[in-house]
Amino acid sequence: MAHAETDVTPITTRTQALEWLRQMLLIRRFEERSAMLYQNGKIGGFCHLYSGQEAVAVGSIGMLREDDYVITAYRDHGHALARGMDPKAGMAEMLGKAAGCSKGKGGSMHFFDAENNFLGGHAIVGSHIPLAAGVAFAAKYRGGDQVCLCYFGDGAMDQGALHEAFNMASLWKLPVIYYVENNFMSMGTHLHRHSCLMDLTIRGGTAYGMPGTAVDGNDIEEVARVTKEAIDRARAGEGPSFIEARTYRFRGHSMSDPMKYRTREEAEKARERDPIILFESLLKERGWIEESAIEELHDAIKQQIDDAIEFAAEAPEPPVEDLYNDITVAPHIPQE
Amino acid sequence: MAHAETDVTPITTRTQALEWLRQMLLIRRFEERSAMLYQNGKIGGFCHLYSGQEAVAVGSIGMLREDDYVITAYRDHGHALARGMDPKAGMAEMLGKAAGCSKGKGGSMHFFDAENNFLGGHAIVGSHIPLAAGVAFAAKYRGGDQVCLCYFGDGAMDQGALHEAFNMASLWKLPVIYYVENNFMSMGTHLHRHSCLMDLTIRGGTAYGMPGTAVDGNDIEEVARVTKEAIDRARAGEGPSFIEARTYRFRGHSMSDPMKYRTREEAEKARERDPIILFESLLKERGWIEESAIEELHDAIKQQIDDAIEFAAEAPEPPVEDLYNDITVAPHIPQE
Amino acid sequence: MPVLQYREALNLAMSEEMERDDRVFLMGEEVAEYNGAYKVSQGMLDRFGPRRIVDTPISEAGFAGIGIGAAMVGLRPIIEFMTYSFSFVAFDQIVNNAANMRYMSGGQFSVPIVFRGNAGMAGSLGATHSHRPEAIYAHFPGLTVVMPATPADAKGLLKSSIRSDDPIVFIEHENLLGDKGEVSDDPEFLIPIGKADVKREGSDLTIITYSRSVITSLKAAEQLAEEDGIDCEVIDLRTIRPLDIETLIASITKTHRAVIVEENWPYCGVGAGVADRLYRTIFDELDAPIGRVFTKDAPVPYNKAMEQSMLPSGASIRHEVRSILGI
Amino acid sequence: MPVLQYREALNLAMSEEMERDDRVFLMGEEVAEYNGAYKVSQGMLDRFGPRRIVDTPISEAGFAGIGIGAAMVGLRPIIEFMTYSFSFVAFDQIVNNAANMRYMSGGQFSVPIVFRGNAGMAGSLGATHSHRPEAIYAHFPGLTVVMPATPADAKGLLKSSIRSDDPIVFIEHENLLGDKGEVSDDPEFLIPIGKADVKREGSDLTIITYSRSVITSLKAAEQLAEEDGIDCEVIDLRTIRPLDIETLIASITKTHRAVIVEENWPYCGVGAGVADRLYRTIFDELDAPIGRVFTKDAPVPYNKAMEQSMLPSGASIRHEVRSILGI
Ligand SMILES: Cc1ncc(C[n+]2csc(CCOP(=O)(O)OP(=O)(O)O)c2C)c(N)n1
Ligand SMILES: Cc1ncc(C[n+]2csc(CCOP(=O)(O)OP(=O)(O)O)c2C)c(N)n1
Ligand SMILES: [Mg+2]
Ligand SMILES: [Mg+2]
């Protein structure tokens, strides 16, 4: 490509783009099947699906190095898979099996994957936001240039923990990138009923002297582009950034949400901006993939998830005695 | 006065101005004598003096109606006295007596005065900020036009409770006025070491879509003027305001603070802007008071505080059995 | 008497008290337009409007504090925690501002507030979402802790809590919300705070319990009666603080043996608190140590079987009763 | 051996461990430039610099969480709460993120962190500033709760806590900070977590206690010996969770009588937790109910005499010991 075209150079290579498409499809399929397993009573507890928001996790985590860190809230399947978690381990966790990514102790809301520097999966709204600052603090303390990417929803903007962490992250110029995935809903409460301002870049950026950038969260390459800027800034020691990715969740808040607050029209219209379809179109336009290859990809992923489910279904339950393991590094002495 | 001079019309009448001077002197004297009593071991616990900041409480509370509400942090003597608390009740509280404003149960950090709608005296940093929103919520709920004035320090800007309360106060347009008394120190930590931004109106105003105004906290009439704007706005149902009063505390954080973080020069220079001296000069310039009358005022206040101390010293200790009283409205059944 | 679900009984209690007293309002996450995350406030927005049924942001410390402030100046808020596990981010507000306000102000400002919501191990919710906070709140003088086990108690106790002039920590159980039972529709049907209830009379041993464990204990008692001829008295504490120790003493003076059944962790929990007080009061009446059935001392796992293994069960209760009886 | 203040012993423990291990750092309000609100970190900023001695804003939930995050990726933070009363705004971080992280991650992420600071009723600080949180934190599996009573224990236990791979709630007492005692200057002087210490041997009755109450109990024991000829054994728990029940059993098997002395509130507190476990373990060894001396069940008032009247005292300990001995 000639240098005159620099401004339209895609942020990604073809290889990476195809990998991103694969990841988005993997996440989508993983969750569609999870929904079915939930309805059949195979998955318990709370289960929050990421469908519709895949471009945010994939496009941003895609810009990280292996030694960087990722942490997120309870809507965590997407981030875990984008970070390289084996879907078998994820699916086994959903079924509460010993082979699960958290040995069956965490469940859907608490995916962890130390090998991929994926630090969970956190279910108390806002409570992991200080942890992310701590991870970034550690990176800086050790003198490295790793960064930490931290995700949360628009509802978490209203938790005090965010406020405290943001102030310190900015004050100490910690290499953390805070990502609000603004799907405009905190459970059944629309942004305009829970947030004093509609522009979250003011609440998360301006308010703390951090750069605050809004991005179309369904446009994976835009997500990647703004993330890269923030990562570069963090690695250069210039401190944290705040990114507001505007997006839409296709499903209910959790599996038990009847979504009475939405019209069918709204939901259908949102599907037109499905980030996967948008990206498939773009890649086809750009000549990076053909329709037939897309179909092959879909099939391969179907197979991969089928395999994951089979693996998970057949995996053994953890022994009940495992209850007392993994509490502390020192032997746990039950206080009974 | 001719209408052409409107823009220099003082915010206050002569009578009110003299009352404000009296209040500032009362607070100053109350605390100077408290410091001595503390050093003599008559006052215990933590004791935080307000000296240097008097213009903030007096100039702002001075704009309230009787049925409005005031709530503050542990540095509370000034606000209580400005709101009309009898210094006898205040001094008796300092000495832990039954005649104290909190029956000797609260102490310096927990002054209360229900008759004057003075809602405390709160010692956990930031924790009363949601209470203020609640008081305003109640006013609005009942359909009245009372407002609540809430004070806290620059250090409290960093507590999560503030963030949560500010968002809801703005979202629900509650009639509350949030006053940060920015003395640039959170105990021994200067603002630039604890706050990500030096301009607190961004952190407290812009960040929550509230008007944010900075004011010279040592200029009592300026304090009154910006407070009046905020009160009018709140009474009109237009919601909360944030005011940053920039000021200086003359004494240490509490009685046990050796103030090693300050040079003598800095402290002396600050004394030149003593809000009491500034106001005395202004009133003299304006011809509202003469030097001799000022001296008489000082003497009268000296006497009033002497009386308060005598009252407090002679007042009886609460009976030890009072330990179990005032816990709940229903009879307290000790779970022993 | 009408048969209602536990959640409907709670709804009825709030609705009746709101009809009666305009100072009462309900505030919390998803209580209004969503009709409650657990449908406890179903229909209340339609009935009482958005002035009195108030949806909040996810700001527990903030809206707990707003409730306390409103209570200080005369309103009577009901603050719903979606679950009590989320009350931990509002902990300071509850144990300091609600619990101490009246005391620190020398009696000038009381805090007539009800914090309510469900708690307990509802099934595969994991360690952060399965807390049982009753012992923690009961530790603090200034708080009253109420935990109903049946629809009728839910109604009568919630009404008394709303009418109380003091801060109440009212803890429901997620797994009881759908339970049905007869509930009086008398708007003056009140159950006094601080009174335990003998849910089953018996002469051999006293089972002391509360909340969901009442149901498990009653079943175990029936089975013990049928299979072993053991006649247990089952006492539902209903209020954790203040403890109705008189009712316990009366029962143990008759049975001389007791087992405490709870969903709480064992160490420094409610069971320990109650046992300690009983030993100090009626040591000589006891023919054996007080038996204990509790949730095992581990965080709560996601895996269903593992979680189930922690909980008091019919089998573990029967086992403990037999062992305290030396059978 | 050098004679050090309790606060100096804490300082020495931290300083030695920081010399030994670059992953250890200290973070909290006023720990650096102010040299500590209670001068525990005196001189540490000069010695270790601002990278490792870190002043924070008043954001306990925030910096507790920062510590936990840093610990998850390999650092070993010491997080100072100016006093533990302020830990209540960080409650969720401690009882959820610190306590459950290793469990929820199936053992992948441990949290080698020490939370430390003083607690207790330090004198006229009022209800919000006089909390004793030990029972509350000890309730949670996943946390370890350590409370030293002497300078030597302060050093040895803090060093062990810093070297521990698990989250430790290390609670000092404000009124002990100035106490002096011999303290080993051996940088390998460690006191194991989970081991109680017999601070005075005796044969008539076992006093079980911890933190400041150890000092009060030892004095009472001397007076009981001199005046009444009663020979009390005094056991300092040192670790509240896990409880060293073996040491208690050994003692009570000898004395057959026990009194627990604590600054905690009585209901669902440490005393109740310990008593309950003892009854269930060695009911038949006990010749009398376990006596209890505790802080009275009321919020802590400002008035000095009233506050003093709540606390365990020499007189109240001696009274309880005599009464348990039936004298
Ligand atoms: C402190 C706390 N309060 C309440 C909840 C219950 N809850 C879980 S998710 C949620 C909504 C969060 O919305 P948002 O942050 O926008 O994230 P999204 O679900 O849209 O991804 C609520 C209220 C919780 N988990 N933690
Ligand atoms: C939650 C909490 N953390 C710490 C403290 C201890 N503390 C009391 S006042 C104070 C400094 C507050 O500074 P600022 O808010 O600026 O108010 P100022 O003292 O200047 O009036 C600190 C750290 C506390 N009381 N509460
Ligand atoms: Mg959302
Ligand atoms: Mg300040």
Side-chain angles (χ1 to χ4, degrees):
Chain A
M1 254 177 274
H3 64 284
E5 285 173 274
T6 310
D7 60 339
V8 292
T9 304
I11 183 95
T12 174
T13 61
R14 178 168 175 273
T15 316
Q16 192 172 29
L18 297 186
E19 170 59 16
W20 287 358
L21 177 59
R22 195 193 64 75
Q23 285 183 15
M24 288 205 284
L25 289 169
L26 183 77
I27 296 167
R28 182 68 57 88
R29 183 78 189 167
F30 181 94
E31 294 203 316
E32 277 169 359
R33 295 300 306 276
S34 294
M36 290 163 66
L37 290 164
Y38 192 92
Q39 267 140 0
N40 294 337
K42 303 276 186 224
I43 295 174
F46 292 138
C47 180
H48 308 80
L49 303 186
Y50 193 59
S51 299
Q53 305 183 199
E54 292 92 341
V56 183
V58 174
S60 53
I61 292 172
M63 303 311 285
L64 290 182
R65 287 197 320 232
E66 264 191 17
D67 63 343
D68 290 325
Y69 298 99
V70 174
I71 189 167
T72 186
Y74 45 87
R75 197 179 298 285
D76 59 356
H77 316 140
H79 309 90
L81 293 170
R83 191 57 182 162
M85 177 182 285
D86 184 339
K88 285 183 179 163
M91 197 54 83
E93 189 61 32
M94 301 293 263
L95 301 192
K97 300 301 181 70
C101 60
S102 305
K103 289 198 196 163
K105 284 179 169 145
S108 161
M109 301 197 288
H110 306 113
F111 275 23
F112 284 86
D113 186 356
E115 265 187 29
N116 285 307
N117 278 358
F118 178 71
L119 279 75
H122 296 272
I124 299 294
V125 168
S127 79
H128 66 296
I129 298 176
L131 304 187
V135 170
F137 178 91
K140 187 171 175 165
Y141 184 92
R142 282 188 300 239
D145 69 345
Q146 293 150 295
V147 305
C148 179
L149 227 57
C150 173
Y151 302 86
F152 47 87
D154 49 297
M157 293 297 302
D158 309 331
Q159 269 285 330
L162 174 143
H163 177 68
E164 301 189 0
F166 275 33
N167 180 50
M168 286 183 277
S170 175
L171 184 66
W172 297 338
K173 292 197 185 301
L174 301 179
V176 55
I177 294 137
Y178 281 119
Y179 239 105
V180 63
E181 302 197 46
N182 181 7
N183 56 22
F184 294 87
M185 291 303 285
S186 169
M187 203 166 157
T189 306
H190 190 276
L191 186 68
H192 76 266
R193 293 202 300 118
H194 77 75
S195 173
C196 58
L197 292 174
M198 291 304 97
D199 182 349
L200 297 182
T201 65
I202 298 176
R203 293 189 64 196
T206 316
Y208 302 94
M210 285 188 223
T213 310
V215 64
D216 176 356
N218 290 25
D219 180 337
I220 194 166
E221 296 198 343
E222 272 303 287
V223 167
R225 195 181 56 72
V226 299
T227 307
K228 185 168 182 335
E229 281 174 20
I231 292 173
D232 290 348
R233 187 180 146 80
R235 287 212 210 287
E238 290 162 27
S241 300
F242 177 80
I243 299 173
E244 177 191 351
R246 296 185 182 147
T247 182
Y248 193 90
R249 72 165 148 71
F250 289 162
R251 316 278 309 219
H253 168 68
S254 70
M255 288 303 299
S256 58
D257 175 5
M259 286 208 283
K260 292 200 181 145
Y261 45 82
R262 277 181 180 169
T263 59
R264 180 183 294 267
E265 294 78 62
E266 176 191 324
E268 272 169 14
K269 208 163 148 257
R271 292 267 180 188
E272 289 168 17
R273 297 208 69 251
D274 184 329
I276 296 181
I277 295 176
L278 292 183
F279 198 43
E280 285 178 348
S281 306
L282 180 77
L283 295 185
K284 281 190 284 185
E285 239 169 65
R286 208 180 266 158
W288 280 8
I289 196 168
E290 314 235 313
E291 185 58 40
S292 60
I294 291 181
E295 271 163 39
E296 276 165 35
L297 197 54
H298 279 250
D299 288 344
I301 282 188
K302 230 172 168 169
Q303 188 58 50
Q304 195 184 357
I305 296 297
D306 283 350
D307 291 349
I309 294 174
E310 195 184 318
F311 168 83
E314 284 171 11
E317 292 271 326
V320 168
E321 307 78 60
D322 202 36
L323 179 70
Y324 289 123
N325 296 331
D326 303 317
I327 299 176
T328 42
V329 177
H332 174 66
I333 305 166
Q335 300 299 294
E336 300 174 352
Chain B
M1 253 177 274
H3 63 282
E5 285 175 85
T6 310
D7 59 339
V8 291
T9 304
I11 184 97
T12 172
T13 63
R14 177 169 175 272
T15 317
Q16 191 171 31
L18 297 186
E19 170 58 17
W20 286 359
L21 178 60
R22 197 191 64 75
Q23 285 182 15
M24 287 204 285
L25 290 168
L26 183 77
I27 296 168
R28 181 68 57 88
R29 184 77 189 168
F30 181 94
E31 295 204 315
E32 278 170 358
R33 294 300 307 274
S34 294
M36 291 163 66
L37 290 164
Y38 192 92
Q39 267 139 0
N40 294 335
K42 302 279 187 223
I43 295 174
F46 293 137
C47 180
H48 308 81
L49 302 186
Y50 194 58
S51 298
Q53 306 183 199
E54 292 92 341
V56 184
V58 173
S60 53
I61 293 173
M63 302 311 284
L64 289 182
R65 288 196 321 233
E66 265 190 15
D67 63 343
D68 290 325
Y69 298 99
V70 174
I71 190 166
T72 186
Y74 46 86
R75 197 179 297 285
D76 58 355
H77 315 139
H79 309 89
L81 293 170
R83 191 57 183 163
M85 178 182 285
D86 185 340
K88 287 183 178 163
M91 198 54 83
E93 188 62 31
M94 300 294 264
L95 301 191
K97 300 301 181 71
C101 60
S102 306
K103 290 197 194 164
K105 285 179 168 148
S108 161
M109 301 197 289
H110 306 112
F111 276 22
F112 284 86
D113 187 355
E115 264 186 29
N116 285 307
N117 279 358
F118 178 71
L119 280 74
H122 296 272
I124 299 294
V125 168
S127 79
H128 66 296
I129 299 176
L131 304 187
V135 170
F137 179 90
K140 186 171 176 168
Y141 184 91
R142 282 188 300 240
D145 68 347
Q146 293 149 295
V147 307
C148 180
L149 228 57
C150 174
Y151 303 85
F152 47 87
D154 49 297
M157 293 297 303
D158 309 330
Q159 269 284 331
L162 174 141
H163 177 68
E164 300 189 1
F166 275 31
N167 180 49
M168 285 183 278
S170 174
L171 185 66
W172 296 339
K173 292 196 185 306
L174 300 180
V176 57
I177 294 136
Y178 281 118
Y179 239 105
V180 63
E181 302 196 46
N182 181 8
N183 57 20
F184 294 87
M185 292 302 286
S186 169
M187 204 166 156
T189 305
H190 191 276
L191 186 68
H192 76 265
R193 294 201 300 116
H194 77 74
S195 174
C196 57
L197 292 174
M198 291 302 98
D199 182 349
L200 298 183
T201 65
I202 299 175
R203 292 190 63 195
T206 316
Y208 302 95
M210 284 189 226
T213 310
V215 65
D216 175 357
N218 290 25
D219 181 337
I220 193 167
E221 297 198 343
E222 272 304 287
V223 166
R225 196 180 55 72
V226 298
T227 308
K228 184 166 181 339
E229 281 173 20
I231 292 174
D232 290 347
R233 186 181 144 82
R235 287 213 209 288
E238 289 161 28
S241 299
F242 178 80
I243 299 173
E244 176 190 352
R246 297 185 181 147
T247 183
Y248 192 89
R249 70 165 148 73
F250 289 162
R251 316 279 310 220
H253 167 69
S254 71
M255 288 302 298
S256 58
D257 175 6
M259 286 206 285
K260 292 200 180 145
Y261 46 82
R262 276 183 182 169
T263 60
R264 180 183 294 266
E265 296 78 60
E266 176 191 325
E268 272 169 14
K269 205 161 153 258
R271 291 266 179 188
E272 289 169 17
R273 297 207 71 251
D274 184 329
I276 295 180
I277 295 177
L278 292 183
F279 198 42
E280 284 178 349
S281 306
L282 181 77
L283 295 184
K284 282 192 282 186
E285 238 169 66
R286 209 180 266 161
W288 280 7
I289 197 167
E290 315 235 313
E291 186 58 40
S292 59
I294 290 181
E295 273 164 34
E296 278 165 35
L297 199 54
H298 279 251
D299 288 343
I301 281 186
K302 230 172 168 170
Q303 189 57 51
Q304 195 184 357
I305 297 297
D306 284 350
D307 292 350
I309 294 174
E310 195 185 317
F311 168 84
E314 285 172 10
E317 292 269 329
V320 167
E321 308 77 61
D322 201 35
L323 178 69
Y324 290 122
N325 296 330
D326 303 317
I327 300 176
T328 42
V329 178
H332 174 65
I333 305 165
Q335 300 298 294
E336 301 172 353
Chain C
M1 270 199 289
V3 171
L4 296 182
Q5 286 187 352
Y6 184 99
R7 62 160 58 78
E8 291 166 337
L10 295 166
N11 184 307
L12 185 60
M14 292 193 283
S15 299
E16 284 176 3
E17 293 305 304
M18 287 184 65
E19 284 294 355
R20 184 177 168 269
D21 186 347
D22 185 66
R23 297 169 304 172
V24 180
F25 66 95
L26 173 66
M27 177 181 273
E29 290 155 18
E30 309 294 347
V31 296
E33 298 205 359
Y34 200 85
N35 283 292
Y38 296 91
K39 304 298 163 207
V40 171
S41 54
Q42 183 81 47
M44 288 177 68
L45 173 65
D46 282 350
R47 182 159 170 194
F48 296 105
R51 171 173 166 268
R52 301 182 68 195
I53 309 292
V54 186
D55 275 334
T56 66
I58 313 180
S59 307
E60 284 83 0
F63 66 75
I66 286 177
I68 296 165
M72 286 174 76
V73 295
L75 298 191
R76 304 183 79 85
I78 306 170
I79 299 294
E80 175 172 313
F81 294 119
M82 192 179 283
T83 88
Y84 256 99
S85 287
F86 310 148
S87 75
F88 287 172
V89 294
F91 194 66
D92 169 66
Q93 290 293 334
I94 301 169
V95 304
N96 274 323
N97 287 344
N100 296 327
M101 192 66 70
R102 186 171 160 80
Y103 200 71
M104 293 194 307
S105 69
Q108 289 176 87
F109 290 97
S110 53
V111 182
I113 196 170
V114 178
F115 299 107
R116 52 157 290 276
N118 65 66
M121 291 162 56
S124 290
L125 300 186
T128 61
H129 276 53
S130 303
H131 284 293
R132 288 122 297 133
E134 56 265 28
I136 290 169
Y137 291 122
H139 188 53
F140 290 86
L143 296 178
T144 298
V145 180
V146 177
M147 296 185 80
T150 67
D153 287 346
K155 183 186 173 191
L157 285 166
L158 184 51
K159 285 171 70 80
S160 294
S161 297
I162 296 169
R163 292 190 192 184
S164 156
D165 292 320
D166 297 308
I168 310 279
V169 173
F170 189 95
I171 307 176
E172 302 146 18
H173 198 296
E174 185 177 336
N175 296 35
L176 295 178
L177 289 172
D179 279 14
K180 285 183 179 174
E182 291 199 332
V183 178
S184 165
D185 51 7
D186 178 356
E188 287 304 311
F189 170 71
L190 299 170
I191 290 178
I193 291 168
K195 289 280 163 260
D197 185 38
V198 179
K199 285 271 190 307
R200 181 188 197 282
E201 294 203 8
S203 54
D204 294 334
L205 180 146
T206 304
I207 295 179
I208 302 167
T209 182
Y210 60 92
S211 191
R212 171 165 68 162
S213 301
V214 171
I215 314 302
T216 324
S217 297
L218 283 171
K219 279 193 202 140
E222 286 315 313
Q223 209 175 331
L224 282 162
E226 281 166 30
E227 292 178 10
D228 305 73
I230 297 170
D231 186 22
C232 289
E233 183 139 309
V234 177
I235 299 184
D236 177 359
L237 292 177
R238 297 201 297 201
T239 300
I240 308 299
R241 171 187 270 267
L243 183 70
D244 179 4
I245 195 155
E246 285 74 29
T247 298
L248 302 184
I249 291 172
S251 177
I252 295 171
T253 307
K254 179 175 73 176
T255 62
H256 305 291
R257 294 174 194 262
V259 167
I260 303 176
V261 182
E262 61 181 334
E263 204 167 312
N264 219 200
W265 278 313
Y267 192 46
C268 304
V270 168
V274 171
D276 163 64
R277 292 185 62 193
L278 288 172
Y279 285 118
R280 287 187 289 130
T281 323
I282 48 165
F283 189 70
D284 294 332
E285 292 290 344
L286 284 165
D287 289 346
I290 297 172
R292 305 260 275 101
V293 184
F294 42 69
T295 287
K296 288 190 184 159
D297 190 46
V300 180
Y302 169 72
N303 179 279
K304 218 175 229 160
M306 216 186 277
E307 179 184 10
Q308 208 56 41
S309 79
M310 304 176 77
L311 274 172
S313 64
S316 61
I317 296 169
R318 295 196 310 275
H319 178 270
E320 185 73 1
V321 166
R322 285 198 210 97
S323 111
I324 293 301
L325 286 166
I327 302 173
Chain D
M1 268 197 290
V3 171
L4 297 183
Q5 287 186 352
Y6 185 98
R7 62 159 59 77
E8 292 166 337
L10 295 167
N11 185 307
L12 185 60
M14 291 192 285
S15 299
E16 284 177 2
E17 294 305 305
M18 285 183 65
E19 285 295 354
R20 183 175 169 271
D21 186 348
D22 185 67
R23 295 170 304 170
V24 180
F25 66 95
L26 173 66
M27 176 179 273
E29 291 157 16
E30 309 294 347
V31 296
E33 299 205 0
Y34 200 84
N35 284 292
Y38 296 90
K39 304 300 162 207
V40 171
S41 55
Q42 183 81 47
M44 288 178 67
L45 174 64
D46 282 351
R47 181 157 170 195
F48 297 104
R51 171 173 166 269
R52 300 183 67 194
I53 310 292
V54 186
D55 275 334
T56 66
I58 314 180
S59 306
E60 285 82 358
F63 66 75
I66 285 177
I68 296 165
M72 285 174 74
V73 295
L75 298 191
R76 304 183 80 84
I78 305 171
I79 299 294
E80 176 173 312
F81 294 118
M82 191 180 285
T83 87
Y84 257 99
S85 286
F86 310 147
S87 74
F88 288 173
V89 292
F91 195 67
D92 169 65
Q93 289 293 336
I94 301 168
V95 305
N96 274 323
N97 287 344
N100 295 327
M101 193 66 70
R102 185 170 161 81
Y103 200 71
M104 292 194 308
S105 68
Q108 290 177 86
F109 290 97
S110 54
V111 183
I113 196 170
V114 178
F115 299 107
R116 52 156 290 275
N118 65 66
M121 291 161 58
S124 290
L125 300 186
T128 59
H129 276 52
S130 304
H131 285 292
R132 291 122 295 133
E134 57 266 27
I136 289 168
Y137 290 123
H139 188 52
F140 290 86
L143 296 178
T144 297
V145 180
V146 176
M147 296 185 80
T150 68
D153 287 347
K155 182 185 175 192
L157 285 166
L158 183 52
K159 285 172 70 78
S160 295
S161 297
I162 296 169
R163 293 190 192 184
S164 155
D165 292 320
D166 297 308
I168 311 279
V169 173
F170 188 95
I171 307 177
E172 301 146 19
H173 197 295
E174 185 177 334
N175 296 35
L176 295 178
L177 290 172
D179 279 14
K180 286 183 178 173
E182 292 199 331
V183 179
S184 164
D185 50 8
D186 177 356
E188 287 305 311
F189 170 71
L190 299 170
I191 291 179
I193 291 168
K195 289 279 163 260
D197 185 40
V198 179
K199 284 270 188 312
R200 181 188 197 282
E201 294 204 9
S203 54
D204 294 335
L205 181 146
T206 305
I207 295 179
I208 302 165
T209 183
Y210 60 92
S211 191
R212 172 165 67 160
S213 300
V214 171
I215 314 302
T216 324
S217 297
L218 283 170
K219 280 191 202 140
E222 286 315 315
Q223 209 175 330
L224 282 161
E226 281 165 31
E227 292 178 11
D228 305 74
I230 297 171
D231 186 22
C232 289
E233 182 139 309
V234 178
I235 299 183
D236 177 359
L237 292 178
R238 297 200 296 199
T239 300
I240 308 300
R241 170 187 273 266
L243 183 70
D244 179 6
I245 195 155
E246 284 74 27
T247 298
L248 303 184
I249 291 173
S251 176
I252 295 171
T253 307
K254 177 174 74 175
T255 62
H256 304 291
R257 291 174 197 264
V259 168
I260 303 175
V261 182
E262 62 181 333
E263 204 168 312
N264 217 203
W265 278 313
Y267 192 46
C268 305
V270 168
V274 172
D276 163 64
R277 291 185 61 194
L278 289 172
Y279 285 118
R280 287 188 285 129
T281 322
I282 48 165
F283 187 70
D284 293 333
E285 293 288 345
L286 285 164
D287 290 347
I290 297 171
R292 304 261 273 102
V293 184
F294 42 69
T295 289
K296 287 189 182 159
D297 189 48
V300 180
Y302 169 71
N303 179 277
K304 218 174 229 162
M306 215 185 278
E307 180 183 10
Q308 209 56 40
S309 79
M310 304 176 77
L311 273 171
S313 64
S316 61
I317 296 169
R318 295 197 309 276
H319 178 271
E320 185 72 2
V321 166
R322 285 198 212 97
S323 112
I324 293 300
L325 286 165
I327 301 174

